[in-house]
Amino acid sequence: MTQIENVSRRKFLQGAFGAGAFVLAVRHARFIPSILAQGAPLDWQSEADRAAFHPNLFVGIQPDGTVYIIAHRSEMGTVIRTSLPLVLADELDADWKRVKIDQGIGDKRYGDQNTDGSQSVRRFFTTMRECGATARLMLLQAAAARWNVPAAECSTELHVVVHKASGRRLAYGDLAADASHLPVPKKEDLQLKKPADWRYIGKGAKSVDLENLCTGKAVFGMDARMEGMVYASIEHPPVFGGKVKTVDDQETLKVAGVRQTVSIDPFKPPAAFQPLGGVAVIADNTWAAFQGRKKLKITWDNGPNETYDSAEYKKELRETSHKPGKVIRSVGDSDKTFPTENVVEADYYVPLLAHTPMEPLVALAEFKDGKVTAWAPTQNPQAVQAIVSSQLGIAKEDVVCHVTFLGGGFGRKSKPDYVAEAAVLSKKLGRPVKVVWKREDDVQFDYYNAVAAMYMKAAVDEKGKPTAWLQRSVFPPISSIFDVTQVYGDPPHLAQGWTDLPYDLPSIRIENGPAQAHVRIGWLRSVANIYHGFAVQCFTDELAHRAHRDPVEYQLDLIGPPRTLDFTGVTYPNYGADYKTYPWETGRLRGVIESVAEKSGWAKKKNGKGHGFGFAAHRSFLTYVATVVEVEISDDGTIRIPRVDTAVDAGIVVNPEALRAQFEGAAVFGTSIVRTGEITAKNGIIQQSNFNDYPVARIHEAPAHTNVYITESSAPPAGVGEPGVPPFVAAFCNAIFAATGKRVRDLPLSSNGNFD
Amino acid sequence: MIKLKVNGIDRSFDGDPDMPLLWYVRDILALTGTKFGCGMALCGACTVHKNGQAIRSCVTPMSSAANSEIRTIEDLGANGLHPVQKAWMELNVPQCGYCQSGQIMQAASLLKGTPHPTDNEIDEAMAGNICRCGTYQRIRQAIKLAAGKTA
Ligand code: FES
Ligand code: FES
């Protein structure tokens, strides 16, 4: 666990803070400014950057009262740079207006920094509270000593310690120097606030970066600049695992602004986060590099994935999904023969999906004196350190990764292949290199969300309720990027809305079949929950309609009474969270279902021709969500989404406004998945390239209004970035059925021909 | 030699006249508020004003920017925040923020010509600007909030 120590006493202050400052560190951290002067060269060689001792600080207090709090997770739009420091500030009783946020570099001493899995708040909520409470207690002790009164007689108000009996007050800044000499109290001596006393937690705050994001001043990876840098654009092997055979760069070198071309070695399997290889065009500006690439004449050795055809592959997955697979979980007598009477079956399919964050992949790196300094929009700066260190044969500690703002991430920017490219090129060229991916590169060389086929089967009684349930999924696993022999779903991803089917049925059998990957597979916002939630929630809707029952009431019937799901004997990783702290409680799922039904006026909704309402509920990333989607479909097939209602139980919510924004965004993200999300391949080559052939939802296609209802809860905090996507996808498809009588079993709509 | 004004400053450019304005502004002038998203006039991230009109700088060659007045996000609120920016902040529009320079430039241009746009007019004007984070609902509200407040 986290060790808190008073680094002031160890003279960790020089460079970052003035003398007399009170600095509390959780392990060791480094201190760097995150918002760089717009247009100015990055301050990559500053004292703070290069300090021989770089105190890795979560909080520091200056004699002038300024409180510095480190944001060690990446900002890609979830407002985490605000929400997590807010937790610390709350326990510190700090005045938020006097808090400054600084972005931490990649450093394992912070603990996990991979900003994915919707886990920033839940993993660091307690750490942040303890850091704040520790600082507060030490300030309090410093004041008590100054006044020569027992600490127990002192308390804190906003940014001050007070001694009520004598009416004396001392500001935090005035106590910083004294506090820096005190020993750090033990965890047991800390008194965390009661929830009723929270100032900020639960109320939230606006993003500290709001103005910079609205004025063009925020520095994204795309905006990083460094003295003497050159620009690189890379022609990657068009087929995954391919290699360069021959290169003719004569015409490229004639392009004004192009300096040279550089080959990058192909990766050695497994691909993991290694560069894909190819030919880089080095130029004086981005445009020249792009132009130079057009003139390259390269022949490729495509390798075995040359035969990959996504249409054929779909058939293979479906066939596999019809054969017995590995049993993941079994309830009741599911291993006996399945009933043959009153059986309902359905096949569902979700294709490969690309992330397309608004900011294409980009990274700036400089290799100098055996060390690398990188500036990157990365979700995982420690993974940057790891891959750069292994690619260049240097120590991880010799890789400094500064985290810029991310122009979206959605999981793509957890995989730092693009940062490794910049580092590899910088080493070859002996100068800073900025690698810029075109949108076409981003679409064609993604780590795609897995294509998946789901086979669903139920035998139902006279009331239409299942007496036996079988579900089997087949998808190339993410683990294949780390081990090419992996073909079965790995437990963490099977657990995403599949293993944990929450239905109270006498017989359940959950299976998974094998699939070989032919492209890089990776995490995308809500990951396997997308296809698992789609299949389970749409199939449930099918059964409800078949039974002439209300889908909400029917689902509540299947979920059964409030209880904690029992996974004894089942591998259920629960998103890496302790099951005792974060049990799967059907009562909480029922709660959001009842809430969304009430708030949306579900009981009074009437489906008509071209107008329908769909419902779905799903737990992911430890958060319970239920969603109702309204659709209008005109005679020409144009689909509108006038309204979405979504109820969320995410436990304690630090920043409700940020939660609402995430669920609004998730509905738009889900709209893209359902309408047009599809990556296909022919001869191993990805067929899509930009927003013309991989369209994402635009303003008139997105839900006009998403209402978000937050359940008040004292349960520990859970995820908010991803859980909105899966129930939206299913509810949208169920709404289309309600409006048209047509079932959407293969995504996206654009591949069905029925809808535009 | 191409002459133009960028954010009120006279500039001249003697490079490749085919170079899109986007890369001139970003790489050469270091005005990085204007973003690259697609390079094909598909996403609107690169939106700037040319003689007061919103254009996609990624497909505007320098040759066609000659003798024009270009304004980028950096200069939109030259005299304090523009009403669109204020509305964006009031309603917490940005998530990642990467698309927002383009959205704001597009919205400012819409409101200049149509001070009180209807939902349909907003859809039409903003349909070329993608927000992958999905802030459209707030963009619409913010445009309405800013409506009538722009000069
Ligand atoms: S970058 Fe110009 S429209 Fe996308
Ligand atoms: S705010 Fe992220 S793309 Fe619009």
Side-chain angles (χ1 to χ4, degrees):
Chain A
M1 246 333 272
T2 311
Q3 291 296 317
I4 299 178
E5 58 182 294
N6 187 346
V7 290
S8 314
R9 296 163 69 217
R10 298 171 53 185
K11 298 211 174 67
F12 268 138
L13 305 177
Q14 296 150 22
F17 298 101
F22 165 53
V23 185
L24 193 66
V26 172
R27 301 186 175 118
H28 304 265
R30 218 180 141 96
F31 192 86
I32 32 154
S34 63
I35 299 166
L36 304 147
Q38 194 276 323
L42 297 177
D43 189 16
W44 58 280
Q45 265 185 326
S46 72
E47 277 310 298
D49 276 358
R50 298 262 176 197
F53 38 82
H54 6 100
N56 252 346
L57 318 167
F58 271 111
V59 57
I61 303 175
Q62 287 278 38
D64 70 358
T66 306
V67 171
Y68 289 93
I69 302 178
I70 289 283
H72 70 300
R73 311 283 289 182
S74 300
E75 184 58 87
M76 51 187 167
T78 64
V79 195
I80 196 63
R81 258 169 64 83
T82 300
S83 300
L84 214 39
L86 204 57
V87 174
L88 192 155
D90 198 327
E91 287 291 346
L92 176 55
D93 257 349
D95 182 352
W96 186 242
K97 290 194 282 297
R98 301 177 73 181
V99 170
K100 293 202 169 123
I101 308 300
D102 275 282
Q103 187 69 37
I105 62 162
D107 191 325
K108 65 175 189 291
R109 290 169 292 191
Y110 283 128
D112 180 87
Q113 285 183 279
N114 189 8
T115 313
D116 85 336
S118 301
Q119 56 184 329
S120 293
V121 170
R122 76 159 157 101
R123 279 179 87 127
F124 292 95
F125 186 69
T126 304
T127 303
M128 289 295 135
R129 291 184 71 192
E130 287 170 357
C131 284
T134 305
R136 180 179 157 277
L137 179 56
M138 293 170 76
L139 291 163
L140 201 136
Q141 288 168 340
R146 186 95 69 90
W147 293 324
N148 206 8
V149 300
E153 287 178 14
C154 301
S155 58
T156 55
E157 287 173 13
L158 198 62
H159 237 75
V160 292
V161 180
V162 295
H163 183 242
K164 285 231 173 73
S166 63
R168 281 175 291 187
R169 304 165 72 84
L170 272 169
Y172 281 2
D174 296 332
L175 292 165
D178 286 11
S180 70
H181 298 296
L182 296 175
V184 176
K186 288 207 246 356
K187 215 187 216 175
E188 304 82 78
D189 297 335
L190 295 179
Q191 275 195 351
L192 297 183
K193 282 185 180 176
K194 290 192 204 69
D197 297 331
W198 283 338
R199 287 178 186 280
Y200 306 127
I201 297 168
K203 294 180 190 71
K206 280 178 178 278
S207 164
V208 292
D209 303 309
L210 200 47
E211 182 163 344
N212 285 325
L213 293 172
C214 291
T215 53
K217 292 197 185 92
V219 176
F220 293 86
M222 191 61 78
D223 310 330
R225 301 169 70 87
M226 196 182 273
E227 198 80 43
M229 76 178 188
V230 288
Y231 296 79
S233 179
I234 300 168
E235 193 74 20
H236 297 106
V239 176
F240 175 56
K243 296 177 177 59
V244 175
K245 249 201 285 198
T246 62
V247 191
D248 172 357
D249 64 1
Q250 272 184 30
E251 294 302 311
T252 297
L253 297 174
K254 289 182 193 157
V255 173
V258 168
R259 292 166 170 252
Q260 66 184 104
T261 67
V262 180
S263 289
I264 302 179
D265 292 338
F267 64 86
K268 295 183 193 67
F273 303 147
Q274 297 174 74
L276 285 169
V279 180
V281 175
I282 311 299
D284 294 338
N285 59 66
T286 316
W287 168 248
F290 287 177
Q291 290 303 97
R293 257 180 77 187
K294 289 191 192 155
K295 303 274 160 95
L296 280 173
K297 295 194 188 86
I298 307 177
T299 58
W300 303 98
D301 172 358
N302 286 332
N305 289 320
E306 193 173 35
T307 56
Y308 174 47
D309 177 309
S310 55
E312 286 302 313
Y313 191 78
K314 176 177 179 178
K315 287 183 206 148
E316 274 173 43
L317 290 193
R318 185 146 286 166
E319 274 170 30
T320 310
S321 78
H322 291 167
K323 292 180 207 145
K326 232 190 216 182
V327 180
I328 305 302
R329 182 177 157 214
S330 167
V331 173
D333 56 1
S334 83
D335 41 357
K336 299 216 188 89
T337 44
F338 205 87
T340 49
E341 297 285 297
N342 291 318
V343 169
V344 188
E345 292 171 286
D347 285 309
Y348 292 88
Y349 175 78
V350 181
L352 293 172
L353 298 169
H355 299 75
T356 58
M358 211 64 231
E359 174 193 45
L361 301 173
V362 60
L364 169 60
E366 179 179 48
F367 176 83
K368 198 176 178 185
D369 304 328
K371 297 182 181 186
V372 167
T373 304
W375 294 86
T378 176
Q379 289 174 244
N380 193 354
Q382 291 176 34
V384 169
Q385 291 181 288
I387 186 64
V388 170
S389 109
S390 69
Q391 289 283 304
L392 269 54
I394 60 177
K396 274 188 207 160
E397 294 66 36
D398 287 334
V399 181
V400 175
C401 182
H402 300 281
V403 181
T404 64
F405 281 96
L406 286 72
F410 313 117
R412 175 62 180 94
K413 292 173 183 170
S414 283
K415 302 123 188 150
D417 55 330
Y418 55 103
V419 194
E421 289 178 336
V424 165
L425 288 171
S426 177
K427 187 175 179 193
K428 290 195 184 196
L429 294 167
R431 59 193 310 161
V433 176
K434 180 170 174 182
V435 166
V436 184
W437 285 38
K438 301 179 71 169
R439 176 60 63 193
E440 289 78 1
D441 304 325
D442 169 63
V443 171
Q444 301 194 313
F445 305 105
D446 201 352
Y447 290 76
Y448 304 97
N449 200 60
V451 46
M454 279 71 51
Y455 170 69
M456 310 294 292
K457 184 177 180 182
V460 295
D461 64 17
E462 65 286 354
K463 287 198 191 109
K465 189 171 175 181
T467 53
W469 179 287
L470 167 72
Q471 58 181 40
R472 190 182 296 128
S473 66
V474 182
F475 55 91
I478 291 173
S479 52
S480 64
I481 63 171
F482 304 111
D483 174 356
V484 294
T485 66
Q486 295 294 322
V487 289
Y488 283 98
D490 44 301
H493 295 103
L494 286 169
Q496 295 189 334
W498 200 242
T499 313
D500 58 346
L501 181 82
Y503 295 163
D504 187 16
L505 302 175
S507 168
I508 297 174
R509 191 175 175 89
I510 299 176
E511 297 185 11
N512 176 250
Q516 181 79 45
H518 297 291
V519 291
R520 297 187 294 184
I521 303 294
W523 310 270
L524 174 140
R525 192 177 193 173
S526 82
V527 204
N529 287 294
I530 296 173
Y531 41 85
H532 290 152
F534 168 62
V536 169
Q537 286 295 303
C538 290
F539 188 58
T540 305
D541 195 71
E542 294 205 29
L543 295 176
H545 281 275
R546 205 175 165 280
H548 304 291
R549 289 178 63 184
D550 175 78
V552 167
E553 177 248 332
Y554 183 79
Q555 175 135 194
L556 287 171
D557 188 14
L558 263 52
I559 292 168
R563 67 196 182 284
T564 299
L565 294 185
D566 180 2
F567 291 115
T568 312
V570 178
T571 310
Y572 183 66
N574 199 32
Y575 300 90
D578 170 45
Y579 198 72
K580 277 208 188 70
T581 316
Y582 287 96
W584 213 126
E585 294 175 278
T586 56
R588 292 177 73 187
L589 189 64
R590 294 184 68 95
V592 289
I593 292 172
E594 281 156 5
S595 164
V596 83
E598 186 208 317
K599 297 277 178 27
S600 70
W602 174 260
K604 289 196 220 84
K605 295 201 182 297
K606 292 239 175 329
N607 299 319
K609 187 175 174 298
H611 185 210
F613 299 87
F615 155 79
H618 189 86
R619 173 194 188 257
S620 67
F621 305 93
L622 314 170
T623 289
Y624 303 79
V625 186
T627 300
V628 170
V629 176
E630 176 183 17
V631 301
E632 279 173 12
I633 305 179
S634 64
D635 291 340
D636 67 0
T638 307
I639 299 178
R640 280 190 65 246
I641 308 172
R643 177 169 158 178
V644 176
D645 292 275
T646 194
V648 182
D649 179 352
I652 293 166
V653 174
V654 172
N655 204 346
E657 175 73 346
L659 180 148
R660 271 190 281 277
Q662 284 306 300
F663 280 79
E664 291 162 16
V668 179
F669 202 84
T671 302
S672 301
I673 290 171
V674 173
R675 289 178 60 101
T676 53
E678 181 171 37
I679 291 291
T680 58
K682 265 208 162 45
N683 302 323
I685 297 173
I686 301 301
Q687 301 293 289
Q688 290 72 28
S689 60
N690 205 318
F691 293 122
N692 54 337
D693 46 19
Y694 188 75
V696 296
R698 294 174 183 272
I699 192 166
H700 57 287
E701 297 158 339
H705 202 85
T706 297
N707 299 305
V708 182
Y709 313 105
I710 302 174
T711 302
E712 292 252 352
S713 170
S714 56
V720 303
E722 300 173 86
V725 176
F728 175 87
V729 165
F732 185 12
C733 294
N734 292 339
I736 290 169
F737 174 79
T740 64
K742 285 184 214 158
R743 274 291 161 198
V744 181
R745 297 196 186 94
D746 290 20
L747 290 182
L749 300 178
S750 57
S751 72
N752 292 339
N754 293 326
F755 307 97
D756 82 350
Chain B
M1 180 75 79
I2 290 167
K3 290 195 183 307
L4 74 168
K5 235 184 199 156
V6 179
N7 296 340
I9 299 171
D10 286 314
R11 302 279 184 181
S12 55
F13 173 72
D14 61 0
D16 183 350
D18 287 340
M19 180 193 269
L21 176 63
L22 170 67
W23 298 112
Y24 171 70
V25 166
R26 285 186 54 84
D27 289 355
I28 297 174
L29 299 185
L31 293 168
T32 55
T34 306
K35 303 303 188 204
F36 165 57
C38 70
M40 287 178 64
L42 295 167
C43 77
C46 65
T47 305
V48 301
H49 294 172
K50 180 183 165 202
N51 302 327
Q53 293 292 315
I55 59 151
R56 307 293 183 234
S57 64
C58 69
V59 292
T60 304
M62 285 305 286
S63 55
S64 79
N67 306 315
S68 69
E69 289 202 24
I70 301 298
R71 173 170 284 190
T72 68
I73 185 78
E74 285 86 354
D75 195 43
L76 181 67
N79 311 307
L81 293 172
H82 187 276
V84 167
Q85 289 170 314
K86 282 189 196 151
W88 247 242
M89 287 175 63
E90 186 169 334
L91 297 180
N92 296 315
V93 174
Q95 287 187 27
C96 82
Y98 193 80
C99 73
Q100 300 297 348
S101 297
Q103 306 276 7
I104 288 167
M105 295 307 277
Q106 187 71 34
S109 149
L110 162 67
L111 289 176
K112 211 168 147 205
T114 314
H116 294 280
T118 62
D119 276 339
N120 278 342
E121 285 167 332
I122 292 175
D123 277 359
E124 232 158 79
M126 304 305 293
N129 289 73
I130 292 173
C131 175
R132 185 64 161 140
C133 296
T135 63
Y136 298 125
Q137 164 176 342
R138 289 170 194 250
I139 286 173
R140 185 189 305 280
Q141 288 163 348
I143 289 174
K144 289 181 177 170
L145 182 64
K149 294 183 189 160
T150 48

